[in-house]
Amino acid sequence: MIRCVVVEDEPPILRAIVQMIESCDPRFQVVDTAFDGEEAMEVLKKTRPDVVFTDIRMPIMDGLQLLRETKSLPCKPLTVVLSGHQEFEYAKEALKLGVHDFLLKPISRDSLVELLDGLADICLQGARERQLTLLKEWVDSGTPNVPSREAKSLFAPYREAAYLLVCVGSFQSFPTSLTLSFREYWKRHPIERLLPEEPRGERWIVDGRNDNEKVLIVSANAGDGPAESMLETAAGKLYEELTRYDWPVTLVKGSRAVDISDLGFYLQKARIVLNHSSRFGHSTITANDFEEHSPAHLAPNNQMEGIFQKLNRQSPEYFKHELSKLIDAANAQRLPQIRLEHALRQFIQTIVQMLDADAKGQLVHTDLVIRELVSTSPSYRSLHAGMCLLIDEICSSGLLKSDVRESQEEWAERIEQYIQANYHNPISLQSLSDTFGFAPSYLSRIYREHKGQSPIDYVIKLRMNKAKELLLLEPALPLKQISEAIGYEDSFYFSRLFKAQTGSSPSEFRKRKSP
Protein backbone atom coordinates (compact mmCIF):
# COMPACT_ATOMS: atom_id res chain seq x y z
CA MET A 1 0.00 0.00 0.00
CA ILE A 2 1.32 3.43 -0.99
CA ARG A 3 0.70 5.95 1.79
CA CYS A 4 -0.34 9.50 0.87
CA VAL A 5 -1.01 12.83 2.59
CA VAL A 6 -3.10 15.57 0.93
CA VAL A 7 -2.59 19.24 1.90
CA GLU A 8 -5.32 21.65 0.77
CA ASP A 9 -6.88 24.63 2.58
CA GLU A 10 -10.38 24.29 1.08
CA PRO A 11 -12.27 21.38 2.74
CA PRO A 12 -14.60 20.54 -0.21
CA ILE A 13 -11.65 20.36 -2.63
CA LEU A 14 -9.65 18.36 -0.07
CA ARG A 15 -12.41 15.75 0.30
CA ALA A 16 -12.82 15.50 -3.48
CA ILE A 17 -9.06 14.92 -4.02
CA VAL A 18 -8.92 12.21 -1.33
CA GLN A 19 -11.91 10.41 -2.84
CA MET A 20 -10.43 10.61 -6.36
CA ILE A 21 -7.03 9.24 -5.34
CA GLU A 22 -8.43 6.21 -3.53
CA SER A 23 -11.02 5.44 -6.23
CA CYS A 24 -8.57 5.80 -9.15
CA ASP A 25 -5.94 3.39 -7.83
CA PRO A 26 -6.50 0.92 -4.94
CA ARG A 27 -2.73 0.78 -4.33
CA PHE A 28 -2.91 4.29 -2.83
CA GLN A 29 -4.23 5.06 0.65
CA VAL A 30 -4.63 8.59 2.03
CA VAL A 31 -3.44 8.18 5.61
CA ASP A 32 -3.97 11.81 6.70
CA THR A 33 -4.74 15.35 5.53
CA ALA A 34 -3.78 18.91 6.48
CA PHE A 35 -5.14 22.42 5.79
CA ASP A 36 -1.79 24.28 5.68
CA GLY A 37 1.95 23.66 5.47
CA GLU A 38 2.64 24.00 9.19
CA GLU A 39 0.02 21.40 10.09
CA ALA A 40 1.26 19.26 7.22
CA MET A 41 4.80 19.08 8.65
CA GLU A 42 3.48 17.64 11.89
CA VAL A 43 1.42 15.12 9.93
CA LEU A 44 4.40 14.12 7.78
CA LYS A 45 6.64 13.53 10.80
CA LYS A 46 3.99 11.31 12.32
CA THR A 47 2.81 9.33 9.27
CA ARG A 48 6.02 9.19 7.12
CA PRO A 49 4.06 8.93 3.82
CA ASP A 50 5.38 7.93 0.41
CA VAL A 51 3.65 10.78 -1.49
CA VAL A 52 2.48 14.29 -0.58
CA PHE A 53 -0.10 16.15 -2.69
CA THR A 54 -0.02 19.85 -1.79
CA ASP A 55 -1.69 23.05 -2.87
CA ILE A 56 0.58 26.09 -3.35
CA ARG A 57 -1.45 28.99 -1.93
CA MET A 58 -2.30 28.25 1.71
CA PRO A 59 -2.35 30.28 4.97
CA ILE A 60 0.37 30.15 7.69
CA MET A 61 2.82 28.12 5.54
CA ASP A 62 2.35 27.90 1.78
CA GLY A 63 3.15 24.95 -0.46
CA LEU A 64 6.56 26.24 -1.56
CA GLN A 65 7.78 26.59 2.03
CA LEU A 66 6.39 23.12 2.75
CA LEU A 67 8.48 21.74 -0.11
CA ARG A 68 11.56 23.35 1.42
CA GLU A 69 10.75 21.89 4.84
CA THR A 70 10.23 18.36 3.55
CA LYS A 71 13.92 18.23 2.58
CA SER A 72 14.77 18.00 6.31
CA LEU A 73 12.62 14.88 6.83
CA PRO A 74 14.50 11.57 7.32
CA CYS A 75 12.22 9.79 4.83
CA LYS A 76 11.69 12.21 1.96
CA PRO A 77 8.32 11.69 0.22
CA LEU A 78 7.60 12.30 -3.45
CA THR A 79 5.82 15.61 -3.83
CA VAL A 80 3.04 16.57 -6.26
CA VAL A 81 1.91 20.19 -6.53
CA LEU A 82 -1.73 21.08 -7.19
CA SER A 83 -1.70 24.32 -9.17
CA GLY A 84 -3.88 26.53 -11.33
CA HIS A 85 -3.11 28.30 -14.62
CA GLN A 86 -2.42 31.58 -12.85
CA GLU A 87 0.27 30.07 -10.59
CA PHE A 88 2.94 29.56 -13.28
CA GLU A 89 5.65 31.50 -11.40
CA TYR A 90 5.01 29.40 -8.30
CA ALA A 91 5.29 26.27 -10.43
CA LYS A 92 8.74 27.34 -11.70
CA GLU A 93 9.93 27.78 -8.12
CA ALA A 94 8.49 24.39 -7.20
CA LEU A 95 10.55 22.80 -9.98
CA LYS A 96 13.71 24.25 -8.45
CA LEU A 97 12.72 22.66 -5.14
CA GLY A 98 12.59 19.18 -6.69
CA VAL A 99 8.84 18.61 -6.99
CA HIS A 100 8.06 15.32 -8.74
CA ASP A 101 5.05 16.45 -10.79
CA PHE A 102 2.09 18.83 -11.12
CA LEU A 103 -1.67 18.38 -11.27
CA LEU A 104 -3.56 21.18 -12.89
CA LYS A 105 -6.79 22.27 -11.21
CA PRO A 106 -9.49 21.32 -11.80
CA ILE A 107 -8.08 17.79 -11.64
CA SER A 108 -9.19 15.42 -14.40
CA ARG A 109 -9.57 11.72 -13.65
CA ASP A 110 -7.46 10.66 -16.65
CA SER A 111 -4.50 12.85 -15.69
CA LEU A 112 -4.71 11.60 -12.09
CA VAL A 113 -4.75 7.94 -13.18
CA GLU A 114 -1.70 8.50 -15.35
CA LEU A 115 0.13 10.29 -12.56
CA LEU A 116 -0.70 7.64 -9.94
CA ASP A 117 0.50 4.87 -12.23
CA GLY A 118 3.91 6.53 -12.58
CA LEU A 119 4.10 7.26 -8.85
CA ALA A 120 3.29 3.62 -8.07
CA ASP A 121 6.21 2.37 -10.17
CA ILE A 122 8.61 4.69 -8.34
CA CYS A 123 7.24 4.02 -4.87
CA LEU A 124 7.09 0.25 -5.24
CA GLN A 125 10.64 0.18 -6.61
CA GLY A 126 11.82 2.34 -3.73
CA ALA A 127 10.01 0.14 -1.21
CA ARG A 128 11.56 -2.93 -2.84
CA GLU A 129 15.04 -1.46 -2.50
CA ARG A 130 14.43 -0.60 1.18
CA GLN A 131 13.14 -4.13 1.77
CA LEU A 132 16.29 -5.61 0.22
CA THR A 133 18.50 -3.32 2.31
CA LEU A 134 16.74 -4.36 5.52
CA LEU A 135 16.81 -8.05 4.61
CA LYS A 136 20.56 -7.84 3.92
CA GLU A 137 21.09 -6.24 7.35
CA TRP A 138 19.04 -8.97 9.02
CA VAL A 139 20.79 -11.75 7.09
CA ASP A 140 24.22 -10.43 8.09
CA SER A 141 23.30 -9.87 11.73
CA GLY A 142 23.09 -13.57 12.64
CA THR A 143 20.54 -12.75 15.37
CA PRO A 144 16.78 -12.11 15.75
CA ASN A 145 15.88 -8.46 15.11
CA VAL A 146 13.31 -6.08 16.55
CA PRO A 147 11.78 -4.47 13.44
CA SER A 148 11.56 -0.69 13.31
CA ARG A 149 8.34 1.14 12.48
CA GLU A 150 9.50 1.46 8.88
CA ALA A 151 10.30 -2.27 8.72
CA LYS A 152 6.88 -3.17 10.08
CA SER A 153 5.29 -0.99 7.42
CA LEU A 154 7.43 -2.37 4.58
CA PHE A 155 6.81 -6.00 5.51
CA ALA A 156 3.26 -5.63 6.83
CA PRO A 157 1.80 -8.13 4.30
CA TYR A 158 4.68 -10.58 4.82
CA ARG A 159 4.98 -11.55 8.46
CA GLU A 160 6.54 -14.97 7.78
CA ALA A 161 8.95 -16.20 5.13
CA ALA A 162 10.72 -19.38 4.04
CA TYR A 163 14.40 -19.20 3.11
CA LEU A 164 17.04 -21.00 1.05
CA LEU A 165 20.81 -20.58 1.42
CA VAL A 166 22.62 -21.19 -1.89
CA CYS A 167 26.37 -21.84 -1.91
CA VAL A 168 28.34 -22.31 -5.14
CA GLY A 169 31.64 -24.15 -4.73
CA SER A 170 33.11 -24.74 -1.28
CA PHE A 171 31.97 -23.34 2.04
CA GLN A 172 34.05 -20.23 2.85
CA SER A 173 34.86 -20.47 6.53
CA PHE A 174 36.86 -17.23 6.60
CA PRO A 175 37.29 -14.20 4.34
CA THR A 176 40.47 -14.10 2.27
CA SER A 177 41.72 -11.83 -0.48
CA LEU A 178 42.41 -14.92 -2.59
CA THR A 179 38.85 -16.19 -2.39
CA LEU A 180 37.41 -16.36 -5.89
CA SER A 181 35.00 -13.68 -7.00
CA PHE A 182 31.73 -15.25 -8.11
CA ARG A 183 30.25 -12.03 -9.46
CA GLU A 184 30.73 -13.22 -13.02
CA TYR A 185 29.11 -16.54 -12.14
CA TRP A 186 25.99 -14.83 -10.79
CA LYS A 187 25.89 -12.55 -13.86
CA ARG A 188 25.86 -15.60 -16.13
CA HIS A 189 23.41 -17.56 -13.97
CA PRO A 190 21.12 -15.06 -12.18
CA ILE A 191 18.89 -16.87 -9.70
CA GLU A 192 15.80 -14.83 -10.55
CA ARG A 193 15.85 -16.17 -14.13
CA LEU A 194 16.24 -19.79 -13.01
CA LEU A 195 13.24 -19.85 -10.67
CA PRO A 196 9.88 -21.27 -11.76
CA GLU A 197 7.21 -18.79 -12.82
CA GLU A 198 4.56 -20.31 -10.55
CA PRO A 199 3.82 -20.53 -7.69
CA ARG A 200 5.52 -17.17 -7.28
CA GLY A 201 4.54 -15.50 -4.01
CA GLU A 202 6.82 -12.61 -3.06
CA ARG A 203 10.54 -13.26 -3.57
CA TRP A 204 13.70 -11.47 -2.50
CA ILE A 205 17.26 -12.45 -3.39
CA VAL A 206 20.08 -10.99 -1.28
CA ASP A 207 23.82 -11.58 -1.14
CA GLY A 208 25.10 -14.00 1.48
CA ARG A 209 28.16 -13.56 3.69
CA ASN A 210 30.55 -14.40 0.83
CA ASP A 211 30.59 -13.83 -2.93
CA ASN A 212 29.65 -17.46 -3.59
CA GLU A 213 26.47 -17.32 -1.47
CA LYS A 214 22.95 -16.08 -2.20
CA VAL A 215 19.84 -16.17 -0.03
CA LEU A 216 16.38 -16.69 -1.53
CA ILE A 217 13.51 -15.52 0.68
CA VAL A 218 9.91 -16.41 -0.19
CA SER A 219 6.72 -15.13 1.41
CA ALA A 220 3.14 -15.95 0.45
CA ASN A 221 0.65 -13.46 -0.93
CA ALA A 222 -3.03 -13.97 -0.25
CA GLY A 223 -4.21 -17.15 -1.99
CA ASP A 224 -0.69 -18.39 -2.81
CA GLY A 225 -0.59 -21.28 -0.38
CA PRO A 226 2.14 -21.98 2.24
CA ALA A 227 5.52 -20.27 1.76
CA GLU A 228 7.25 -23.60 2.58
CA SER A 229 5.56 -25.24 -0.39
CA MET A 230 6.59 -22.46 -2.75
CA LEU A 231 10.17 -22.63 -1.47
CA GLU A 232 10.24 -26.41 -1.99
CA THR A 233 9.25 -25.94 -5.63
CA ALA A 234 11.76 -23.11 -6.13
CA ALA A 235 14.58 -25.07 -4.47
CA GLY A 236 14.00 -28.10 -6.69
CA LYS A 237 14.02 -26.01 -9.85
CA LEU A 238 17.08 -24.03 -8.77
CA TYR A 239 19.03 -27.18 -7.89
CA GLU A 240 18.15 -28.72 -11.25
CA GLU A 241 19.36 -25.62 -13.12
CA LEU A 242 22.52 -24.82 -11.15
CA THR A 243 23.86 -28.38 -11.20
CA ARG A 244 24.13 -28.15 -15.00
CA TYR A 245 27.11 -25.82 -14.68
CA ASP A 246 30.75 -26.40 -13.75
CA TRP A 247 30.70 -25.63 -10.05
CA PRO A 248 29.05 -27.89 -7.45
CA VAL A 249 26.29 -26.28 -5.39
CA THR A 250 24.95 -26.81 -1.89
CA LEU A 251 21.41 -25.72 -0.99
CA VAL A 252 20.24 -25.46 2.63
CA LYS A 253 16.49 -24.89 2.86
CA GLY A 254 14.53 -23.82 5.89
CA SER A 255 12.29 -26.58 7.19
CA ARG A 256 9.50 -24.11 8.05
CA ALA A 257 8.48 -20.49 7.59
CA VAL A 258 9.81 -18.11 10.25
CA ASP A 259 9.20 -14.53 11.32
CA ILE A 260 10.81 -12.45 8.60
CA SER A 261 12.75 -10.30 11.09
CA ASP A 262 14.34 -13.46 12.59
CA LEU A 263 15.94 -14.56 9.31
CA GLY A 264 19.43 -13.62 10.51
CA PHE A 265 19.22 -16.09 13.40
CA TYR A 266 17.97 -18.98 11.24
CA LEU A 267 20.45 -18.30 8.45
CA GLN A 268 23.29 -18.35 10.97
CA LYS A 269 22.16 -21.88 11.84
CA ALA A 270 21.89 -22.66 8.11
CA ARG A 271 25.53 -21.67 7.66
CA ILE A 272 26.56 -24.13 10.37
CA VAL A 273 24.59 -26.84 8.57
CA LEU A 274 26.20 -25.75 5.30
CA ASN A 275 29.65 -26.10 6.86
CA HIS A 276 28.95 -29.69 7.92
CA SER A 277 26.90 -30.85 4.94
CA SER A 278 28.84 -29.30 2.02
CA ARG A 279 30.48 -32.15 0.11
CA PHE A 280 33.57 -31.03 -1.75
CA GLY A 281 33.27 -31.49 -5.52
CA HIS A 282 29.64 -32.69 -5.30
CA SER A 283 26.25 -30.96 -5.27
CA THR A 284 23.74 -31.56 -2.50
CA ILE A 285 20.48 -30.19 -1.12
CA THR A 286 19.62 -30.47 2.56
CA ALA A 287 17.22 -29.11 5.18
CA ASN A 288 18.24 -26.73 7.95
CA ASP A 289 17.78 -29.29 10.72
CA PHE A 290 20.46 -27.99 13.06
CA GLU A 291 22.34 -30.35 15.33
CA GLU A 292 25.74 -30.29 17.02
CA HIS A 293 28.52 -32.23 15.30
CA SER A 294 30.98 -33.89 17.62
CA PRO A 295 34.70 -34.33 16.81
CA ALA A 296 34.04 -38.05 16.28
CA HIS A 297 32.51 -37.19 12.94
CA LEU A 298 35.94 -36.01 11.80
CA ALA A 299 37.76 -39.28 12.43
CA PRO A 300 39.23 -40.80 9.24
CA ASN A 301 37.99 -44.19 8.10
CA ASN A 302 40.17 -47.30 7.95
CA GLN A 303 41.20 -46.74 4.34
CA MET A 304 42.51 -43.23 5.06
CA GLU A 305 44.11 -44.29 8.33
CA GLY A 306 46.03 -46.92 6.42
CA ILE A 307 47.34 -44.26 4.03
CA PHE A 308 48.61 -42.16 6.95
CA GLN A 309 50.38 -45.12 8.58
CA LYS A 310 52.22 -46.06 5.37
CA LEU A 311 53.78 -42.63 4.93
CA ASN A 312 57.26 -43.85 5.88
CA ARG A 313 59.36 -43.00 2.84
CA GLN A 314 60.84 -39.55 2.47
CA SER A 315 60.14 -39.03 -1.21
CA PRO A 316 58.02 -36.24 -2.72
CA GLU A 317 56.83 -38.52 -5.53
CA TYR A 318 55.82 -41.17 -3.01
CA PHE A 319 53.92 -38.57 -0.96
CA LYS A 320 52.08 -37.43 -4.09
CA HIS A 321 51.24 -41.01 -5.00
CA GLU A 322 49.69 -41.55 -1.56
CA LEU A 323 47.94 -38.19 -1.83
CA SER A 324 46.28 -39.40 -5.04
CA LYS A 325 44.93 -42.42 -3.13
CA LEU A 326 43.57 -40.13 -0.41
CA ILE A 327 41.95 -37.77 -2.93
CA ASP A 328 40.38 -40.68 -4.86
CA ALA A 329 38.99 -42.18 -1.64
CA ALA A 330 37.52 -38.83 -0.56
CA ASN A 331 35.90 -38.33 -3.97
CA ALA A 332 34.45 -41.84 -4.04
CA GLN A 333 32.94 -41.37 -0.57
CA ARG A 334 31.61 -37.86 -1.37
CA LEU A 335 33.40 -36.73 1.77
CA PRO A 336 32.00 -33.61 3.49
CA GLN A 337 34.27 -30.62 3.12
CA ILE A 338 34.97 -30.37 6.85
CA ARG A 339 36.15 -34.02 6.95
CA LEU A 340 38.20 -33.58 3.78
CA GLU A 341 40.06 -30.65 5.34
CA HIS A 342 40.68 -32.70 8.48
CA ALA A 343 42.04 -35.66 6.46
CA LEU A 344 44.34 -33.43 4.39
CA ARG A 345 45.67 -31.72 7.53
CA GLN A 346 46.46 -35.12 9.05
CA PHE A 347 48.17 -36.20 5.86
CA ILE A 348 50.39 -33.10 5.74
CA GLN A 349 51.11 -33.22 9.48
CA THR A 350 52.35 -36.78 9.05
CA ILE A 351 54.80 -35.59 6.40
CA VAL A 352 55.88 -32.61 8.52
CA GLN A 353 56.67 -34.94 11.44
CA MET A 354 59.37 -36.56 9.30
CA LEU A 355 61.19 -33.23 8.97
CA ASP A 356 63.48 -31.50 11.44
CA ALA A 357 62.36 -29.04 14.08
CA ASP A 358 63.34 -25.98 12.03
CA ALA A 359 61.23 -27.16 9.12
CA LYS A 360 58.24 -27.67 11.41
CA GLY A 361 58.54 -24.09 12.59
CA GLN A 362 58.47 -22.83 8.99
CA LEU A 363 55.34 -24.83 8.16
CA VAL A 364 52.95 -23.53 10.77
CA HIS A 365 50.93 -21.96 7.93
CA THR A 366 50.07 -25.31 6.27
CA ASP A 367 46.64 -25.59 7.94
CA LEU A 368 45.69 -22.19 6.56
CA VAL A 369 46.99 -23.15 3.10
CA ILE A 370 44.93 -26.36 3.11
CA ARG A 371 41.77 -24.52 4.14
CA GLU A 372 42.42 -21.95 1.43
CA LEU A 373 42.96 -24.67 -1.20
CA VAL A 374 39.75 -26.46 -0.27
CA SER A 375 37.85 -23.15 -0.27
CA THR A 376 39.06 -22.01 -3.70
CA SER A 377 39.54 -25.20 -5.71
CA PRO A 378 36.66 -25.90 -8.12
CA SER A 379 37.38 -29.64 -8.42
CA TYR A 380 39.36 -32.55 -6.98
CA ARG A 381 41.78 -32.24 -9.90
CA SER A 382 42.56 -28.64 -9.01
CA LEU A 383 42.78 -29.50 -5.30
CA HIS A 384 45.22 -32.33 -6.06
CA ALA A 385 47.46 -29.99 -8.06
CA GLY A 386 47.53 -27.44 -5.24
CA MET A 387 48.29 -30.10 -2.62
CA CYS A 388 51.16 -31.42 -4.75
CA LEU A 389 52.66 -27.95 -4.78
CA LEU A 390 52.30 -27.78 -1.00
CA ILE A 391 54.17 -31.11 -0.72
CA ASP A 392 56.90 -29.66 -2.93
CA GLU A 393 57.11 -26.61 -0.67
CA ILE A 394 57.34 -28.78 2.45
CA CYS A 395 60.00 -31.00 0.96
CA SER A 396 62.10 -28.08 -0.29
CA SER A 397 61.90 -26.48 3.18
CA GLY A 398 63.06 -29.55 5.10
CA LEU A 399 65.71 -32.23 4.87
CA LEU A 400 64.49 -33.63 1.57
CA LYS A 401 66.27 -32.52 -1.58
CA SER A 402 64.39 -32.00 -4.82
CA ASP A 403 64.29 -29.73 -7.81
CA VAL A 404 61.09 -28.15 -6.54
CA ARG A 405 62.13 -24.52 -6.91
CA GLU A 406 63.28 -25.08 -10.46
CA SER A 407 59.95 -26.76 -11.21
CA GLN A 408 58.00 -23.83 -9.79
CA GLU A 409 60.09 -21.36 -11.77
CA GLU A 410 59.26 -23.32 -14.92
CA TRP A 411 55.55 -23.11 -14.16
CA ALA A 412 55.79 -19.36 -13.54
CA GLU A 413 57.59 -18.99 -16.87
CA ARG A 414 54.93 -21.05 -18.67
CA ILE A 415 52.16 -18.92 -17.16
CA GLU A 416 53.90 -15.74 -18.31
CA GLN A 417 54.39 -17.11 -21.82
CA TYR A 418 50.71 -18.10 -21.95
CA ILE A 419 49.66 -14.57 -20.93
CA GLN A 420 51.94 -13.03 -23.56
CA ALA A 421 50.37 -15.22 -26.25
CA ASN A 422 46.77 -14.72 -25.13
CA TYR A 423 46.56 -11.23 -23.59
CA HIS A 424 44.07 -10.20 -26.31
CA ASN A 425 41.62 -12.88 -25.09
CA PRO A 426 39.62 -12.81 -21.82
CA ILE A 427 41.98 -13.84 -18.99
CA SER A 428 41.09 -14.23 -15.32
CA LEU A 429 42.67 -16.03 -12.38
CA GLN A 430 40.01 -18.71 -12.79
CA SER A 431 40.74 -19.19 -16.51
CA LEU A 432 44.46 -19.52 -15.74
CA SER A 433 43.58 -22.04 -13.04
CA ASP A 434 41.52 -24.06 -15.53
CA THR A 435 44.33 -23.95 -18.12
CA PHE A 436 47.16 -25.05 -15.82
CA GLY A 437 45.22 -27.25 -13.38
CA PHE A 438 46.25 -25.39 -10.20
CA ALA A 439 44.02 -23.89 -7.54
CA PRO A 440 43.73 -20.13 -8.24
CA SER A 441 45.28 -19.16 -4.90
CA TYR A 442 48.29 -21.42 -5.41
CA LEU A 443 48.82 -20.41 -9.01
CA SER A 444 48.84 -16.76 -7.92
CA ARG A 445 51.27 -17.53 -5.11
CA ILE A 446 53.76 -19.36 -7.37
CA TYR A 447 53.69 -16.61 -9.98
CA ARG A 448 54.06 -13.79 -7.45
CA GLU A 449 56.95 -15.55 -5.71
CA HIS A 450 58.97 -15.89 -8.92
CA LYS A 451 57.79 -12.84 -10.89
CA GLY A 452 57.23 -10.26 -8.16
CA GLN A 453 53.61 -9.49 -9.08
CA SER A 454 50.29 -11.29 -9.43
CA PRO A 455 49.41 -12.80 -12.83
CA ILE A 456 46.44 -10.44 -13.20
CA ASP A 457 48.66 -7.42 -12.48
CA TYR A 458 50.96 -8.66 -15.24
CA VAL A 459 48.01 -9.03 -17.63
CA ILE A 460 47.00 -5.41 -16.99
CA LYS A 461 50.58 -4.14 -17.32
CA LEU A 462 51.08 -6.03 -20.60
CA ARG A 463 47.79 -4.81 -22.03
CA MET A 464 48.49 -1.20 -21.11
CA ASN A 465 51.90 -1.38 -22.82
CA LYS A 466 50.28 -2.85 -25.95
CA ALA A 467 47.64 -0.10 -25.83
CA LYS A 468 50.35 2.58 -25.71
CA GLU A 469 51.99 1.04 -28.79
CA LEU A 470 48.70 1.05 -30.73
CA LEU A 471 47.85 4.60 -29.66
CA LEU A 472 51.15 5.84 -31.06
CA LEU A 473 51.50 3.60 -34.12
CA GLU A 474 47.84 3.84 -35.23
CA PRO A 475 46.72 7.44 -34.51
CA ALA A 476 43.48 7.01 -36.50
CA LEU A 477 42.47 3.73 -34.85
CA PRO A 478 39.30 4.19 -32.70
CA LEU A 479 39.60 3.52 -28.97
CA LYS A 480 36.97 0.78 -29.19
CA GLN A 481 39.12 -1.20 -31.64
CA ILE A 482 42.21 -0.70 -29.49
CA SER A 483 40.26 -1.86 -26.44
CA GLU A 484 39.08 -5.02 -28.21
CA ALA A 485 42.57 -5.69 -29.62
CA ILE A 486 44.07 -5.93 -26.13
CA GLY A 487 41.26 -8.02 -24.57
CA TYR A 488 38.71 -5.51 -23.23
CA GLU A 489 35.19 -5.61 -24.70
CA ASP A 490 34.15 -2.50 -22.75
CA SER A 491 36.03 0.53 -24.09
CA PHE A 492 34.84 2.70 -21.17
CA TYR A 493 36.32 0.23 -18.69
CA PHE A 494 39.56 0.22 -20.72
CA SER A 495 39.72 4.04 -20.62
CA ARG A 496 39.21 4.14 -16.84
CA LEU A 497 41.84 1.44 -16.31
CA PHE A 498 44.31 3.16 -18.66
CA LYS A 499 43.92 6.44 -16.77
CA ALA A 500 44.35 4.69 -13.42
CA GLN A 501 47.56 3.04 -14.65
CA THR A 502 49.12 5.96 -16.56
CA GLY A 503 47.59 9.10 -15.08
CA SER A 504 45.99 10.18 -18.36
CA SER A 505 43.18 9.01 -20.60
CA PRO A 506 44.01 7.21 -23.89
CA SER A 507 43.04 10.33 -25.87
CA GLU A 508 45.21 12.57 -23.68
CA PHE A 509 48.11 10.13 -23.97
CA ARG A 510 47.79 10.07 -27.77
CA LYS A 511 47.72 13.87 -28.02
CA ARG A 512 50.64 14.34 -25.65
CA LYS A 513 52.85 11.82 -27.45
CA SER A 514 51.93 12.75 -31.02
CA PRO A 515 54.57 14.80 -32.90
Side-chain angles (χ1 to χ4, degrees), residues 92-130:
K92 287 198 299 183
E93 181 64 23
L95 280 172
K96 295 178 183 177
L97 294 171
V99 67
H100 174 72
D101 212 334
F102 296 88
L103 271 179
L104 193 62
K105 294 180 181 178
I107 298 170
S108 74
R109 190 175 184 85
D110 288 345
S111 61
L112 180 59
V113 168
E114 183 180 352
L115 173 67
L116 293 178
D117 199 45
L119 286 169
D121 289 342
I122 296 171
C123 290
L124 294 176
Q125 180 61 33
R128 180 79 177 179
E129 290 172 357
R130 295 200 299 276

Side-chain angles (χ1 to χ4, degrees), residues 298-344:
L298 302 179
N301 59 30
N302 293 336
Q303 183 180 5
M304 293 184 181
E305 191 66 51
I307 294 173
F308 300 148
Q309 292 174 356
K310 291 177 182 178
L311 285 174
N312 53 12
R313 291 165 48 192
Q314 295 189 359
S315 161
E317 295 310 313
Y318 174 73
F319 292 151
K320 293 175 187 178
H321 177 71
E322 295 302 307
L323 171 68
S324 296
K325 292 182 182 178
L326 177 61
I327 292 288
D328 290 344
N331 192 10
Q333 296 170 33
R334 297 170 60 95
L335 209 62
Q337 178 180 332
I338 192 170
R339 288 185 58 193
L340 175 63
E341 286 184 16
H342 184 76
L344 292 174

